[in-house]
Amino acid sequence: MSELLAIVSQDADYYLMLSYILKGAGYRTMLVDIPSEAVATAVERDAAAIIVDCQPGSQILADIASGLKERGLASDVTLIALVAEKAAYLDILKANVDESFTRPMPPERLLSYLHGAIGSSSDGTHSRLGPIFDDMKLDLSGRRVLVRGMPVNLSPIEFRLLSALMGDAGRVLSRAELIAVAWPQTAFVEPRTVDVHIGRLRRALRRALGRDVIRTVPKEGYAIDIAQSM
């Protein structure tokens, strides 16, 4: 069964539009129009993520984040904020969300993040395990990479970078593409910052695998070259 996403919004039209996009990508959706019931509903229905439509002056996001923390679910349920343009960004940061996007946003940004964070397969097993290459695989539910069954210590940004590279193995991803999937939309990230994080990721994988698997393409970007297991 595909992953369920709980969408917290009091705008029915916006929910219908977002639901249409998410269902087209293979997810199931449910509307939570009473914010105070968001956490309980997500837990009851085993939702993989809560997507919050954040309006200026609203305390919804902070309340949901607190509710997840109180239940010990902050690491189990992905919390995503869709931020109205005039919403207080400081409040978003304080809520310690997993990811935030400023509206209006290109749908592919949200879909790319969801694919890396919780998977998109309708098969229950594959939704928790990302692409498997050689001796390396992504554990999407645990947000970690495993090499021969052993976890490799990566930062959240490095994990998202690796997820993007493995999700499109062999293709060269530009720095702009990697910034789009690994950093919040509102963050200003210089191309050099991508190089620094790719360097850390490359070293971590080299220590674990004993070889380099990330290829630098001058003036273009990066690609991952791993023989895929059958």
Side-chain angles (χ1 to χ4, degrees):
M1 183 177 294
S2 59
E3 297 285 16
L4 176 66
L5 309 177
I7 301 175
V8 182
S9 178
Q10 295 179 312
D11 184 338
D13 288 338
Y14 183 67
Y15 165 75
L16 290 173
M17 178 191 69
L18 187 59
S19 178
Y20 178 81
I21 294 169
L22 294 171
K23 287 180 179 178
Y27 298 102
R28 294 177 297 131
T29 65
M30 57 176 287
L31 173 64
V32 181
D33 56 2
I34 303 177
S36 61
E37 298 179 0
V39 174
T41 302
V43 171
E44 180 182 340
R45 298 284 299 276
D46 194 27
I50 299 177
I51 301 176
V52 184
D53 176 14
C54 299
Q55 297 299 319
S58 172
Q59 295 297 312
I60 292 175
L61 186 63
D63 292 343
I64 292 175
S66 296
L68 289 173
K69 185 176 181 180
E70 289 171 3
R71 289 173 177 251
L73 297 172
S75 61
D76 297 325
V77 180
T78 300
L79 181 59
I80 301 170
L82 303 184
V83 186
E85 189 174 1
K86 295 182 180 179
Y89 191 66
L90 182 59
D91 293 339
I92 307 300
L93 294 177
K94 288 180 179 178
N96 196 31
V97 300
D98 292 292
E99 188 59 279
S100 64
F101 299 91
T102 301
R103 297 171 51 188
M105 64 174 181
E108 59 269 21
R109 289 177 60 89
L110 175 60
L111 295 176
S112 177
Y113 174 76
L114 286 170
H115 178 72
I118 66 175
S120 61
S121 170
S122 60
D123 180 276
T125 300
H126 292 107
S127 67
R128 291 303 182 184
L129 293 177
I132 300 175
F133 298 96
D134 202 22
D135 296 324
M136 182 167 66
K137 65 183 179 182
L138 293 183
D139 173 7
L140 297 172
S141 61
R143 299 182 193 176
R144 60 181 181 169
V145 61
L146 302 173
V147 172
R148 303 181 188 96
M150 298 299 293
V152 177
N153 186 30
L154 298 179
S155 72
I157 287 176
E158 289 156 16
F159 178 84
R160 291 195 286 270
L161 289 171
L162 179 60
S163 178
L165 291 168
M166 289 182 69
D168 209 347
R171 186 173 81 83
V172 178
L173 298 183
S174 69
R175 290 169 178 81
E177 289 177 298
L178 292 172
I179 289 172
V181 299
W183 279 269
Q185 184 179 3
T186 53
F188 175 75
V189 181
E190 298 211 1
R192 174 58 184 161
T193 303
V194 179
D195 298 337
V196 171
H197 282 277
I198 286 289
R200 293 173 182 167
L201 174 60
R202 176 182 277 135
R203 288 191 292 274
L205 296 180
R206 183 191 302 137
R207 287 193 296 268
L209 289 164
R211 66 186 187 282
D212 283 326
V213 293
I214 296 178
R215 173 166 53 95
T216 301
V217 180
K219 298 183 179 180
E220 292 190 38
Y222 298 94
I224 193 162
D225 293 326
I226 310 178
Q228 186 169 356
S229 299
M230 301 300 293

